[in-house]
Amino acid sequence: MRVVQVGAGGMGRAWLGTVAADPDVELVGIVDLDLDAARAGAAVAGDPSIPVGSDLTALIADTGAEAVLDITVPVAHHPVTLEALRAGLPVLGEKPAAQTVAEALSLAAAAEATGRLFMVSQSRRYNDHLVAFRQHVRGLGAVGGLSTRFAKAPHFGGFREEMDDVLLLDMAIHAFDSARYVLERDPVSVYCESWNPSWSWYRGDAAAAAVFTFEDDVRYVYDGSWCAPGAETSWNGDWRASGAAGTALWDGDHDPSSDLDGTPGSPEAAPSVGNEIAGSLAAFVHAVRSGGTPDGEVHGNVMSLTMVDAAIASARSGRRIVIDEVLEQAHATAVAHEQDPGIRERLTSWESVRGALATAPVPFRS
């Protein structure tokens, strides 16, 4: 598959190396506002002669690209992905889907209007240990609760240390998305508190605790900190699920386990999903070729971003937030600001936002 990548910064370079290592993908162009960064990216990809430019539409036309990788900063996700979809190409983009839920809904409607796939690389879903943990959770019978404890102390420097709500905005979406995957349910409401410990080197809140109510009255508890030195968890966090038949555990790095009232759980193994961004790239290529719907397709992914927005709204207001209220408000904003008649028509055709997100249009055109 001939692809053009937009974005050649830090995360972009990681993607360029991954694309170069995938035999099913050929990088035919790199777009970046900084042409020196684009040229450096071509070298990272192993071929300095790869065409570069600052105009995505022009480079698509010049290279005969079949798909676009949007590895830009969040504020650029909406315009870049929309330009690619309008050019008739499927898109694989870095998380989050967009800077806001309203923009993510606009992109979901754009995917419907153009008939093209937009997949968000929620890369931590592509983890065979997480898949195995879900298999263990399925063996617990009725599930009552799931929890994640996340404790790390990274000194990033740069923009993260100046962000508002840094933990919830930049990291918690991985755990929230994984919780949806493990529980195979969607959230209904959340109560969240966030704070910044006195020793924190972040400007915004680097710690948070949230309780989500999911469908079927299941609870998901997230307890996280990005300024917790000593006895740190894995980057995936430490997980526990409790059900009628027992408990499942996963430390985020190794094989999970379950205890079924004294008997070790031994669920059926699931097929490998690959590893992080390499896994999401392979899933994207397969979905484009088959017309199927991959994990991370924008309709299915918007709810993970909504969980982040709802948690932040709860932390700021001090009250429980209903997920559908966040979705409906974002939908109204999306309709009010949409300039494309075809996309606005799709948005206004949705009888309910939750219902529209649950029914992604397939097959997509390749």
Side-chain angles (χ1 to χ4, degrees):
M1 179 180 291
R2 296 168 60 82
V3 303
V4 164
Q5 177 170 314
V6 187
M11 195 65 197
R13 288 191 293 274
W15 274 92
L16 288 167
T18 300
V19 170
D22 190 325
D24 293 323
V25 180
E26 178 187 0
L27 182 69
V28 297
I30 301 173
V31 176
D32 200 291
L33 296 177
D34 182 344
L35 291 181
D36 286 339
R39 295 185 188 100
V44 169
D47 183 0
S49 69
I50 292 172
V52 303
S54 58
D55 186 323
L56 173 59
T57 300
L59 202 58
I60 288 172
D62 290 344
T63 61
E66 299 173 272
V68 170
L69 307 181
D70 181 359
I71 319 299
T72 58
V73 295
V75 68
H77 287 184
H78 183 271
V80 169
T81 295
L82 186 57
E83 183 178 355
L85 292 173
R86 283 173 168 163
L89 299 188
V91 180
L92 173 61
E94 257 295 337
K95 66 87 184 169
Q99 185 170 233
T100 67
V101 176
E103 288 185 347
L105 293 176
S106 169
L107 291 176
E112 294 182 17
T114 61
R116 305 298 179 182
L117 170 66
F118 171 35
M119 172 183 165
V120 182
S121 176
Q122 201 74 52
S123 58
R124 290 177 190 265
R125 274 207 190 190
Y126 292 89
N127 181 320
D128 288 342
H129 294 311
L130 176 65
V131 175
F133 181 57
R134 183 168 75 164
Q135 294 292 92
H136 279 275
V137 172
R138 285 174 169 174
L140 302 181
V143 176
L146 176 69
S147 65
T148 307
R149 183 176 60 89
F150 176 82
K152 300 292 284 186
H155 288 262
F156 293 109
F159 73 93
R160 284 186 179 88
E161 294 189 5
E162 297 301 319
M163 286 175 63
D164 293 330
D165 306 294
V166 60
L167 178 74
L168 290 171
L169 273 175
D170 200 57
M171 189 64 199
I173 191 170
H174 289 300
F176 294 174
D177 183 74
S178 293
R180 293 179 55 223
Y181 173 77
V182 169
L183 292 173
E184 302 177 82
R185 295 170 173 84
D186 275 326
V188 175
S189 65
V190 61
Y191 177 76
C192 179
E193 293 187 5
S194 67
W195 65 97
N196 209 26
S198 61
W199 63 87
S200 173
W201 48 95
Y202 296 90
R203 184 185 63 78
D205 286 355
V211 179
F212 286 90
T213 300
F214 270 65
E215 295 164 330
D216 301 321
D217 206 32
V218 177
R219 295 299 191 275
Y220 169 60
V221 178
Y222 176 80
D223 175 14
S225 175
W226 247 357
C227 53
E232 296 181 12
T233 67
S234 77
W235 277 101
N236 291 311
D238 190 72
W239 293 73
R240 181 185 184 100
S242 298
T247 294
L249 303 172
W250 180 43
D251 68 0
D253 277 341
H254 304 96
D255 288 335
S257 63
S258 54
D259 183 336
L260 307 180
D261 198 19
T263 301
S266 55
E268 181 179 351
S272 174
V273 294
N275 185 50
E276 296 196 350
I277 63 175
S280 63
L281 178 60
F284 174 71
V285 172
H286 176 74
V288 172
R289 294 303 192 212
S290 68
T293 304
D295 270 344
E297 191 278 328
V298 62
H299 290 76
N301 184 259
V302 167
M303 194 67 80
S304 298
L305 179 58
T306 305
M307 289 176 72
V308 173
D309 272 22
I312 292 172
S314 177
R316 291 179 178 175
S317 67
R319 66 180 182 89
R320 174 178 172 269
I321 297 295
V322 176
I323 298 294
D324 281 347
E325 292 177 359
V326 177
L327 286 172
E328 294 299 334
Q329 183 176 7
H331 180 255
T333 300
V335 171
H337 291 121
E338 187 55 62
Q339 300 298 309
D340 185 300
I343 297 174
R344 187 186 303 110
E345 181 181 359
R346 295 305 307 174
L347 285 167
T348 56
S349 73
W350 295 350
E351 294 185 6
S352 78
V353 185
R354 188 180 286 266
L357 296 179
T359 54
V362 290
F364 294 95
R365 288 182 288 159
S366 61

